[in-house]
Amino acid sequence: DIQMTQSPSSLSASVGDRVTITCRASQSISSYLNWFQQKPGKAPKLLIYAESSLQRGVPSRFSGSGSGTDFTLTISSLQPEDFATYYCQQSYSTPWTFGQGTKVEIK
Amino acid sequence: EVQVVESGGGLVQPGRSLRLSCTTSGFSFGNFAMSWFRQAPGKGLEWVGFIRSEAYGGTREYAASVKGRFNISRDDSKSIAYLQMKSLRTEDTAVYYCTRDFTGGATAPSGYWGQGTLVTVSS
């Protein structure tokens, strides 16, 4: 199985900050990397698919980059509605696997 | 408008069975793979399995933790996907989500997720 490791596990940031979350795969997954945002009690929301493609309706302050084994989700200017938990997920091979999540909290 | 709605969750005793339904509308159901995910209370997300479209053979793949106990099926005439769960264990307690894939071949979960249905396995 491909292991996905996110860092950090949590972070505190202020509105307007630039936030970066990293995700490392245990082997190359090409660009089969997706990012989700989840708020308490809600279904995950797809933000980025195929490493860097912005899902329709997602604000442009979200961006994804990387390839192979190392990937990054960047929020260019954190907004109040962005406080949530973020997950990376690989769909390169089954079993599809997720990172453990990064909780973004208000500083 | 694309809609995905899970149903069928509830409280069930260990060892028993339960079938979840994923009712969809707003797209050509038969053209897309459908996936199931779950999230145990306070835990992260876990992929359960998927079923490809008939154009891709309708094949299924499962996580090791559910293989042999869970079965995913689809009724293209009704635009519904199912998750049949047997021999349930306490560790299967979770919110179960159904999603539509980007393609028929199961390449990645799309932005279309249901709201989830809670399955609680307890005596």
Side-chain angles (χ1 to χ4, degrees), chain B residues 19-104:
Chain B
R19 188 180 78 163
L20 306 183
S21 298
C22 173
T23 303
T24 74
S25 61
F27 64 98
S28 297
F29 181 83
N31 291 342
F32 294 92
M34 299 296 295
S35 300
W36 287 91
F37 294 84
R38 68 183 181 182
Q39 187 169 36
K43 302 297 185 182
L45 295 162
E46 180 186 16
W47 171 74
V48 173
F50 59 62
I51 183 168
R52 294 182 175 92
S53 70
E54 287 304 316
Y56 286 83
T59 53
R60 306 161 176 85
E61 295 195 38
Y62 300 95
S65 58
V66 306
K67 195 171 184 179
R69 299 188 299 124
F70 289 12
N71 181 60
I72 299 173
S73 60
R74 60 190 298 154
D75 185 334
D76 289 354
S77 69
K78 297 181 178 178
S79 299
I80 300 177
Y82 300 98
L83 178 64
Q84 177 70 53
M85 304 182 292
K86 298 181 179 180
S87 303
L88 282 162
R89 305 167 180 168
T90 55
E91 56 264 36
D92 295 318
T93 294
V95 175
Y96 285 74
Y97 295 102
C98 172
T99 77
R100 195 204 82 177
D101 198 86
F102 275 103
T103 71

